[in-house]
Amino acid sequence: MPANESGPSVKKKGRRARMLVLVMVLALLAGLGYGAYWSVDTVRASFPQTTGSLKVPGLTGTVEVKRDEHGIPQLYADHDEDLFRAQGFVHAQDRFWEMDVRRHMTSGRLSEMFGSGQVETDAFLRTLGWRHVAQEEYDKKLSAETKKYLQAYADGVNAYLKGKSGKDLSVEHAALKLTDGYKPAQWTPVDSVAWLKAMAWDLRGNMQDEIDRSLMTNKLSQAQIDELYPPYPFDRNKPVVEGGTVAGGKYAPQGTPGAGSTGTGRGSGTGTGTGTGTTPGTGTGTASGSGSQTTPNGGTGTPTGLADNATAQGATVGLRTQLGALAKTLDEIPAILGPNGSGIGSNSWVISGQHTTTGKPLLANDPHLSPQLPSVWYQMGLHCRAVSPQCQYDVAGYTFSGMPGVVIGHNADIAWGMTNLGADVTDLYLEQVRPEGYVYDNKIVPFTTREEEIKVAGGKSKKITVRTTNNGPLISDRSDELETVGSRAPVPSSAPDRGNGYAVALRWTALDPGKSMDAVFKLDRAKDFNSFRAAAADFEVPSQNLIYADNKGANGNIGYQAPGRIPIRNQGDGRLPAPGWDPKYAWKGGRDGNAGYIPQNEMPWELNPARGYIVTANQAVTESGTGAGKYPYVLTTDWGYGARSQRINDLIEAKTKDNGKISTDDMRTMQMDNSSEIAALLTPMLAKIPVSDPDVRSAQKLLEGWNYTQEPDSAAAAYFNAVWRNILKLAFGDKMPKELRVEGSCMNVSEESTGPNDDLTKTVRECGTRGPDSAQPDGGDRWFEVVRRLVKDEKSPWWQATPKTVHDKPIKTRDELFARAMEDARWELTAKLGKDQSTWSWGRLHQLTLKNQTIGKEGPGFMQWVLNRGPWNLGGGEATVNATGWNASSGYEVTWVPSMRMVVNLGDLDKSRWINLTGASGHAYNGTYTDQTALWAKGELLEWPFGKDAVDKSTVDTLTLKP
């Protein structure tokens, strides 16, 4: 598949070319023996009807489905339930394969579709129990109104499914039916609710960091680990809100009565280290000190999160193999939204009308998620012909196929966007297990158990037993290497007898039933900031940053709310596994609802800040601490480090300087900013390194005069990023334990032994075991901060590295390591792009290939060819505003992207703009399968009609759904 530089802007262009390709594909399939089953009719059979009329049982009136030239539908109805019934029908028309796979994944039933290869994944997902929690939410938590909408949506999906199977649903279903006769079941309301659990899983916070820190203890000291997880740079990168605090049981933003100090609240404390001090905030401890920490949640404890130092050292050593196995299991769980690690997140910002060309707010959002085909988002408008008590919605934006409502977008009164808050909502607990139960507070407590049967396509069903403690399900039961843990881990005498070893339980807020589905509908019909905040209060998981804008008053209003169910810990900080047998480490309030969580009234929020804008890009929300103007709770200690957010802040401040105004197109241009913070720091140093090799010197010259932007055609960006990747490998990657190094990364290491490390010590070949999306160092903005702090120390031990050959001298200084990285980068790019530097470009290295998330990844080669698209040569990069992420440990391939982009114009909603990663259709060879991708790659946005006249003007197809 050649790289795509551009493409048709509307669906009718290129249709002849696509059909020619289709004919070629079908000819190939026929040659492989599939001709009896595959034909043009097979591929086109599932294309949706978009004109004329269809009968949909259950409707009380007609619903119009108006599609523009990109196939984006706008639905018009007279009753709420008709609107959501039609939404279910239309989602299924375009995306039922995606919906079907999602519901099998969330319920741990992938084996029913794909056979025995998915049994282990299903077993892990059944152990987490997403489907059970979703069922409990539906039965006990959700409002009657929400249930009514969910049922209407399910009825719409089932109306579409009636009488259809195989090729009538999708090419993928047709292929699946060839092997096992699979037939989809009816859609249920709980299928929709369970999708929120998958969303929460991929946005779960610092669980991967918790595992990684534990694994690092095998090769690194605590002081070294602290250097790799530095505190957030409040002195340089602004948090979302500044200066607010909690007063009288309510959060008080900066400048409101009771907010206390109105200073910036920035400090240089070492709360994430092991020194003495407050967490985080001011203090005098150092990374290599010792002592206790006082946490804003109250109580004292060691910063390891374990009962004491002996427990910390012993348990983490004993957990090395077990947590490595858990990390491998996590790698194999489908990441529907994206990899979970450093630098990953989203951008959103909102500008007050006082700083815009329209005089009303502008709101931008681009969530960074895993690239997939079709996109995780589906653009849609849901309109009541006349808003009334029986029909309350007039909203448009981005939806999830399989779930009713609009998740991100705007209605006639307000607009909102989301980024991941990154709160620490997961903890791993060591559990001392016995045949009759587990130890808690010096007592043996029986497990809560349930039996699960996993049905396997083409095979025999498997039965598993899920065991749960008061801290959550035993996820260690789902791996052979995790069956017994800590068998040799030294622990203090105060710890319970290990018996057959420690197990690992997961405590996670999403495993408690909640009301996030209620929040979606409340957001969709919110009218002002108060009703927006009321909706946000129900958005419990996943915890998101929510930004807000409306057009009321002279300049409109802008706002922010941090919602979510955030635990309050009695002791420990959640950075490492905690002792499950010790009640002091339980979450406050136990498992009895909201008692153990930060009250929603005390969560940070902001309305019309004096600066005139709000930026959320996964940076710290606020600075926690016990001083004036500090937030009294710990949301997490594992924030993103603010590279993207501060760049956005700087761009806004530069544009509004001297009363400058920001336009809709300015917002779009900001979204495509390719500036690299780490390049600006390191390039001047790299340019001064003495280089003798003429080929390496030639590459070094590319950096001279470079402006640090990562355009797709930039040779300098290609070379710099190759140098950066090699710096990370030499300084950090080669020092990591194998459980964090990427698969296939092998090196000679000293054999583990209790004897002396001398000339007779044997070496063994050790290879990395981590998947390519989560291997370390990944090069995200945490690594920017690590290197920023180390780079002034030219003789830091981190700069030491082994020589390339036995004839070379060991590397001992920063400049020696940089020189070696420049040399290695030169030859790496020669191998990948050729010796002629004039042909080098960042886009040739940094490519996006869109893959169908199931058959397109692991299916037969010809099916991958049919379903996948690309590659596209992209600009941008890791921790840039145009965040086309890549993992420096595994290569340059794009692993996460701005999954959509939108700019909402509150002065004239019809002048808002949006784009999706792919297109509306999930059907390969449909004209809207990837018709937006080339535009997305170039940073272009589509018109976004909202009012009836604008929608009618853009409509090319109208389908009427009738009772």
Side-chain angles (χ1 to χ4, degrees):
M1 293 178 285
N4 288 290
E5 302 290 350
S6 61
S9 60
V10 295
K11 68 177 184 178
K12 293 183 179 179
K13 290 185 178 180
R15 181 167 293 175
R16 183 175 301 174
R18 281 193 297 272
M19 290 308 298
L20 177 60
V21 172
L22 178 59
V23 171
M24 294 170 64
V25 171
L26 295 173
L28 172 64
L29 296 179
L32 292 173
Y34 287 84
Y37 299 94
W38 292 79
S39 64
V40 172
D41 177 66
T42 301
V43 176
R44 295 180 63 92
S46 58
F47 287 10
Q49 179 179 334
T50 59
T51 61
S53 63
L54 288 170
K55 289 187 177 181
V56 176
L59 289 176
T60 60
T62 62
V63 180
E64 293 173 296
V65 181
K66 300 183 177 184
R67 294 179 185 258
D68 66 9
E69 62 184 358
H70 295 280
I72 299 170
Q74 305 282 341
L75 278 56
Y76 288 85
D78 295 316
H79 296 85
D80 288 341
E81 289 173 82
D82 283 356
L83 201 57
F84 295 118
R85 184 174 281 105
Q87 185 181 21
F89 187 90
V90 173
H91 272 168
Q93 276 189 309
D94 280 333
R95 299 283 192 92
F96 185 69
W97 170 256
E98 176 190 24
M99 294 164 61
D100 204 15
V101 171
R102 279 182 184 173
R103 65 167 167 176
H104 280 80
M105 190 272 286
T106 57
S107 58
R109 293 168 47 223
L110 290 170
S111 300
E112 294 179 20
M113 298 183 78
F114 304 111
S116 59
Q118 297 298 320
V119 169
E120 293 299 324
T121 296
D122 282 346
F124 187 81
L125 295 170
R126 297 283 186 102
T127 299
L128 292 178
W130 293 351
R131 176 76 183 197
H132 289 274
V133 180
Q135 185 69 59
E136 192 173 356
E137 286 184 359
Y138 184 80
D139 291 341
K140 300 178 181 180
K141 291 286 187 177
L142 298 181
S143 69
E145 182 181 57
T146 294
K147 291 182 183 181
K148 182 173 64 175
Y149 296 159
L150 287 164
Q151 187 60 60
Y153 181 91
D155 290 344
V157 175
N158 293 327
Y160 176 76
L161 291 180
K162 186 175 182 181
K164 294 184 175 68
S165 64
K167 70 177 184 179
D168 298 325
L169 295 172
S170 72
V171 169
E172 296 92 333
H173 281 103
L176 204 61
K177 193 172 182 181
L178 294 178
T179 60
D180 62 14
Y182 170 80
K183 185 176 181 179
Q186 292 280 288
W187 193 267
T188 72
V190 179
D191 290 334
S192 297
V193 178
W195 165 239
L196 287 172
K197 300 304 170 186
M199 181 180 174
W201 175 254
D202 281 347
L203 302 173
R204 62 191 176 274
N206 77 335
M207 181 175 168
Q208 192 68 61
D209 288 324
E210 190 173 337
I211 292 170
D212 288 355
R213 278 189 289 262
S214 298
L215 293 170
M216 286 179 184
T217 59
N218 179 61
K219 295 192 70 172
L220 304 176
S221 69
Q222 186 61 49
Q224 288 174 311
I225 295 172
D226 290 339
E227 286 186 295
L228 300 185
Y229 287 88
Y232 185 88
F234 286 100
D235 60 329
R236 194 177 66 256
N237 296 341
K238 296 178 182 178
V240 177
V241 299
E242 299 179 81
T245 189
V246 173
K250 294 183 179 181
Y251 182 81
Q254 184 183 60
T256 59
S261 170
T262 57
T264 61
R266 296 173 183 171
S268 56
T270 57
T272 56
T274 59
T276 304
T278 55
T279 306
T282 60
T284 58
T286 65
S288 60
S290 63
S292 66
Q293 289 181 320
T294 301
T295 72
N297 293 345
T300 61
T302 61
T304 60
L306 289 157
D308 52 40
N309 285 336
T311 307
Q313 296 165 3
T316 53
V317 169
L319 279 173
R320 176 195 171 196
T321 300
Q322 296 78 11
L323 290 176
L326 174 57
K328 185 174 179 62
T329 300
L330 296 179
D331 278 340
E332 294 170 355
I333 301 302
I336 286 191
L337 296 184
N340 189 283
S342 174
I344 296 167
S346 306
N347 300 324
S348 68
W349 66 93
V350 59
I351 314 289
S352 167
Q354 63 184 307
H355 296 307
T356 68
T357 58
T358 66
K360 297 292 184 180
L362 295 172
L363 184 150
N365 195 191
D366 55 289
H368 307 156
L369 305 173
S370 176
Q372 52 185 280
L373 184 58
S375 165
V376 70
W377 300 107
Y378 184 93
Q379 296 152 287
M380 179 178 271
L382 301 173
H383 306 278
C384 291
R385 294 188 179 99
V387 175
S388 66
Q390 70 177 13
C391 199
Q392 306 172 74
Y393 296 88
D394 187 15
V395 61
Y398 294 86
T399 71
F400 286 137
S401 301
M403 199 176 91
V406 170
V407 178
I408 295 174
H410 70 82
N411 58 32
D413 297 292
I414 76 164
W416 67 95
M418 296 184 188
T419 63
N420 194 26
L421 193 148
D424 185 358
V425 295
T426 59
D427 277 344
L428 296 174
Y429 283 90
L430 310 185
E431 302 286 0
Q432 209 287 320
V433 298
R434 299 286 182 82
E436 63 272 31
Y438 61 97
V439 176
Y440 183 72
D441 197 16
N442 296 316
K443 301 180 181 66
I444 296 178
V445 181
F447 291 110
T448 300
T449 64
R450 70 174 186 272
E451 301 293 323
E452 296 271 357
E453 182 180 10
I454 300 173
K455 297 179 180 179
V456 182
K460 186 178 179 180
S461 297
K462 306 290 185 180
K463 291 185 178 181
I464 65 169
T465 299
V466 176
R467 301 189 295 174
T468 301
T469 73
N470 64 321
N471 290 314
L474 287 185
I475 56 177
S476 53
D477 285 349
R478 300 281 68 88
S479 168
D480 291 341
E481 293 183 1
L482 283 165
E483 285 182 356
T484 58
V485 301
S487 59
R488 292 182 295 174
V491 293
S493 58
S494 60
D497 178 68
R498 65 172 55 89
N500 291 326
Y502 296 129
V504 182
L506 172 65
R507 182 79 168 96
W508 178 33
T509 56
L511 298 185
D512 294 337
K515 300 185 291 183
S516 293
M517 197 70 238
D518 283 346
V520 172
F521 297 113
K522 289 181 179 180
L523 275 174
D524 286 355
R525 60 176 185 261
K527 301 293 185 183
D528 51 31
F529 191 61
N530 287 336
S531 54
F532 164 80
R533 291 190 67 207
D538 286 339
F539 209 102
E540 296 165 327
V541 290
S543 186
Q544 299 288 288
N545 294 304
L546 295 179
I547 61 169
Y548 166 93
D550 68 39
N551 58 9
K552 298 174 177 62
N555 299 120
N557 298 290
I558 63 172
Y560 165 81
Q561 176 69 61
R565 185 185 287 162
I566 316 297
I568 302 174
R569 294 170 175 84
N570 281 306
Q571 189 164 314
D573 59 9
R575 289 171 60 80
L576 288 170
W581 55 81
D582 190 339
K584 293 193 299 291
Y585 288 85
W587 291 0
K588 285 189 177 181
R591 302 182 67 87
D592 58 352
N594 293 327
Y597 304 115
I598 299 173
Q600 183 62 33
N601 283 342
E602 298 183 17
M603 290 290 286
W605 62 274
E606 204 167 35
L607 178 66
N608 295 325
R611 63 185 176 276
Y613 61 89
I614 301 170
V615 175
T616 77
N618 315 109
Q619 79 271 40
V621 170
T622 187
E623 186 172 5
S624 298
T626 55
K630 301 290 181 65
Y631 187 63
Y633 299 103
V634 173
L635 299 176
T636 185
T637 58
D638 288 307
W639 301 110
Y641 282 79
R644 283 181 290 106
S645 63
Q646 193 55 44
R647 175 62 177 171
I648 297 167
N649 276 304
D650 292 344
L651 290 170
I652 294 171
E653 290 175 5
K655 191 69 180 177
T656 57
K657 186 179 180 181
D658 299 326
N659 203 34
K661 303 295 183 181
I662 293 177
S663 68
T664 301
D665 196 57
D666 290 331
M667 301 283 274
R668 181 195 67 81
T669 301
M670 291 179 193
Q671 288 179 323
M672 294 301 294
D673 182 81
N674 287 329
S675 177
S676 169
E677 177 187 284
I678 195 63
L681 174 68
L682 296 184
T683 298
M685 299 179 188
L686 296 172
K688 296 177 182 178
I689 301 292
V691 174
S692 57
D693 186 297
D695 290 319
V696 179
R697 173 60 185 142
S698 176
Q700 184 187 36
K701 287 182 179 180
L702 293 172
L703 302 179
E704 297 176 1
W706 179 45
N707 63 357
Y708 318 133
T709 60
Q710 302 168 100
E711 301 300 330
D713 61 353
S714 172
Y719 182 58
F720 172 80
N721 281 314
V723 174
W724 170 237
R725 167 171 144 83
N726 280 280
I727 287 173
L728 291 170
K729 177 181 183 298
L730 293 167
F732 309 106
D734 290 347
K735 301 176 178 69
M736 293 285 172
K738 66 179 181 180
E739 294 87 357
L740 271 69
R741 298 202 312 272
V742 70
E743 290 174 329
S745 172
C746 300
M747 56 192 300
N748 294 326
V749 299
S750 298
E751 186 177 37
E752 291 186 11
S753 170
T754 58
N757 186 11
D758 54 29
D759 290 343
L760 297 183
T761 301
K762 295 181 180 180
T763 61
V764 295
R765 192 70 169 164
E766 181 186 81
C767 296
T769 62
R770 183 64 66 86
D773 287 347
S774 58
Q776 294 295 332
D778 61 14
D781 64 354
R782 172 165 66 87
W783 294 99
F784 288 14
E785 189 64 20
V786 168
V787 171
R788 180 184 294 279
R789 288 169 174 263
L790 292 173
V791 77
K792 293 181 181 179
D793 183 358
E794 297 183 20
K795 296 184 178 180
S796 167
W798 290 107
W799 303 129
Q800 298 174 10
T802 57
K804 182 182 289 188
T805 72
V806 294
H807 304 293
D808 296 326
K809 294 180 180 180
I811 296 171
K812 296 183 178 181
T813 69
R814 179 199 68 195
D815 286 357
E816 289 174 356
L817 186 139
F818 282 10
R820 165 74 180 278
M822 291 171 69
E823 179 183 350
D824 290 353
R826 183 18 162 144
W827 303 123
E828 181 185 4
L829 294 197
T830 297
K832 291 180 178 293
L833 303 179
K835 187 174 182 179
D836 183 358
Q837 292 172 193
S838 68
T839 67
W840 290 4
S841 71
W842 175 226
R844 285 183 61 201
L845 276 180
H846 191 53
Q847 293 187 325
L848 168 68
T849 299
L850 293 172
K851 298 178 181 180
N852 178 286
Q853 291 298 288
T854 50
I855 297 176
K857 284 190 172 181
E858 299 182 0
F862 72 87
M863 282 301 299
Q864 293 186 37
W865 197 88
V866 167
L867 296 173
N868 298 343
R869 297 291 183 271
W872 282 265
N873 296 342
L874 299 186
E878 190 78 11
T880 62
V881 180
N882 181 23
T884 55
W886 55 287
N887 187 306
S889 288
S890 55
Y892 305 95
E893 180 183 3
V894 176
T895 57
W896 49 276
V897 295
S899 56
M900 61 79 158
R901 298 186 185 100
M902 75 174 191
V903 178
V904 182
N905 183 334
L906 275 298
D908 185 345
L909 292 173
D910 289 329
K911 292 183 179 179
S912 301
R913 300 290 183 267
W914 61 353
I915 197 75
N916 205 351
L917 174 63
T918 63
S921 180
H923 301 292
Y925 297 101
N926 185 281
T928 63
Y929 189 47
T930 56
D931 65 319
Q932 297 185 51
T933 307
L935 301 173
W936 170 92
K938 293 185 290 187
E940 296 182 20
L941 300 175
L942 302 176
E943 293 184 357
W944 183 355
F946 179 73
K948 187 176 185 304
D949 290 344
V951 169
D952 287 345
K953 185 177 179 180
S954 69
T955 297
V956 296
D957 288 337
T958 300
L959 173 68
T960 302
L961 304 179
K962 298 180 177 181

